[in-house]
Amino acid sequence: MPTLFDPARFGDIPLANRVVMAPLTRNRAPGQQPRALMATYYAQRASAGLLITEATPVSPLGHGYADTPGLHAEQQAEGWRQVTDAVHAAGGRIVVQLWHVGRISHSSLLPAGEVPVSSTTTPSGVRTLVHQPDGSLGMAPCTPPRALRTEELAGVVADFGRAARLAKQAGFDGVEIHGANGYLLEQFLRASINDRSDAYGGDVTGRTRLVREVLDAVAAEMGAGRTGIRLSPVTPANGAPQDPGAQATYEAVAQHARQLGLAFMEVVEGATGGARDHAPFDYAALKAAFGGPWIVNNGYTREMALQAVASGAADAVAFGRPFIANPDLVRRLRDDLPWATYDRATCYGGEALGYTLYPPYDEAVPVPV
């Protein structure tokens, strides 16, 4: 069996190893524009077999947090080109995570006069990161959403397709569709949120329709062999209640992804950033339904990651928070070196501090005893 450090090929994307950097929102793109500081950050972490960028909105209505970079304008694609060029120069591979937050947003982050959109009018009951009157970043309750009209959904699909087109222009090796963590696509997937009576609600076929159409559109633009998807079947993130029919719903998505021949599927096991046994779910059955390269995520230690790949339970393991303070995480995993701890106070927003100033192991300053 392969090891965590062996090369792999996910669809048309070659990986030098099976360590994946998971998407991490960092809020360092003022004006929704990618910039040079981000290029430094990703290039520092290019030893990962695959970098998945921070979640990146596909339209002005898709933004839900302050200072997140978009991919819905030519200028943004040009900004992302700095990032992909830097990563490729460092020998890495990078895909962009395409995102629409849906109801997890605030009207101040959206075009004038707009409110968040969703599958429903039911508020999420959570907060999001906004610009405060003094210019600082702070939390505010999400604005209650409006339900997307049936005739608007083709436009949402087109937004994802356009973002995939811009991703190619920006030099990305592929894309990952964000279908997890209580954002727009999951707001349609879950019967616990989706209360629609049109063709995009009701049974499994209706609730998975938007995701299937997005997958089709993105694969048509980027190529199925360079398209992946992220799912989180049982996470309660962002006010997403449990769906009693989750197994059938997510397996239907996996089967459609299999028919398309997607490059990979990344699955968050349990509660995102929390308990792995949050709710029962048969991940092995979901893996079998997909049948393609399988990336696991959520709280993996070195030992767990080694075992997951060696046993065939996963083809790669995604690490999120450990990559914040450990730009050389692959080496630390390979050589069993200690992991540095990130500073949560500098995680969201700001400049280089807490972002590009974390040193690799050899340059780390010893902690006084």
Side-chain angles (χ1 to χ4, degrees), residues 288-328:
F290 176 54
W294 189 254
I295 304 173
V296 294
N297 178 301
N298 198 26
Y300 273 77
T301 64
R302 178 179 186 270
E303 292 71 24
M304 290 166 62
L306 292 171
Q307 175 61 23
V309 174
S311 68
D315 298 298
V317 179
F319 296 86
R321 293 172 185 170
F323 261 111
I324 294 175
N326 299 277
D328 58 342

Side-chain angles (χ1 to χ4, degrees), residues 19-320:
V19 178
V20 175
M21 178 174 161
L24 292 161
T25 293
R26 304 304 307 276
N27 307 93
R28 281 171 166 84
Q32 304 175 358
Q33 178 64 28
R35 57 180 177 144
L37 185 66
M38 292 167 54
T40 300
Y41 168 76
Y42 283 108
Q44 288 174 339
R45 291 153 179 80
S47 60
L50 184 66
L51 301 174
I52 306 175
T53 72
E54 59 211 277
T56 302
V58 299
S59 71
L61 267 180
H63 285 266
Y65 299 82
D67 298 339
T68 53
L71 193 52
H72 45 82
E74 294 281 339
Q75 184 180 11
Q76 292 166 336
E78 292 169 6
W80 276 117
R81 172 61 80 166
Q82 300 175 83
V83 175
T84 61
D85 284 350
V87 168
H88 292 153
R93 294 285 184 269
I94 183 168
V95 301
V96 60
Q97 189 186 61
L98 302 182
W99 190 30
H100 193 307
V101 300
R103 67 179 181 169
I104 310 302
S105 187
H106 188 275
S107 57
S108 68
L109 302 170
L110 304 175
E114 296 283 3
V115 298
V117 296
S118 182
S119 61
T120 181
T121 59
T122 304
S124 64
V126 302
R127 301 191 300 163
T128 191
L129 193 68
V130 303
H131 294 284
Q132 302 291 346
D134 64 0
S136 65
L137 299 181
M139 302 299 289
C142 291
T143 303
R146 69 173 179 84
L148 284 157
R149 300 184 301 276
T150 304
E151 61 270 21
E152 291 181 287
L153 293 172
V156 172
V157 174
D159 288 338
F160 275 92
R162 176 187 60 195
R165 205 156 51 243
L166 289 170
K168 288 176 68 175
Q169 185 177 317
F172 282 103
D173 297 292
V175 301
E176 178 184 76
I177 296 164
H178 197 339
N181 295 351
Y183 295 115
L184 182 69
L185 296 184
E186 196 158 71
Q187 290 160 29
F188 275 82
L189 284 176
R190 292 202 182 190
S192 58
I193 300 174
N194 186 338
D195 53 9
R196 304 174 73 89
S197 58
D198 65 0
Y200 291 86
D203 61 10
V204 169
T205 300
R207 286 183 286 105
T208 61
R209 180 174 176 176
L210 181 60
V211 177
R212 289 183 284 112
E213 290 180 351
V214 166
L215 284 172
D216 291 348
V218 171
E221 291 287 351
M222 177 58 71
R226 295 187 179 277
T227 300
I229 186 170
R230 185 187 226 208
L231 299 175
S232 58
V234 299
T235 189
N238 290 311
Q242 291 302 306
D243 187 338
Q247 196 75 44
T249 298
Y250 288 87
E251 285 188 23
V253 174
Q255 288 160 4
H256 190 75
R258 180 181 197 144
Q259 291 166 7
L260 288 174
L262 289 200
F264 64 87
M265 181 172 286
E266 181 197 5
V267 175
V268 179
E269 299 172 339
T272 303
R276 292 173 47 80
D277 57 354
H278 169 74
F281 190 84
D282 189 344
Y283 295 102
L286 186 64
K287 180 177 185 289
F290 176 54
W294 189 254
I295 304 173
V296 294
N297 178 301
N298 198 26
Y300 273 77
T301 64
R302 178 179 186 270
E303 292 71 24
M304 290 166 62
L306 292 171
Q307 175 61 23
V309 174
S311 68
D315 298 298
V317 179
F319 296 86

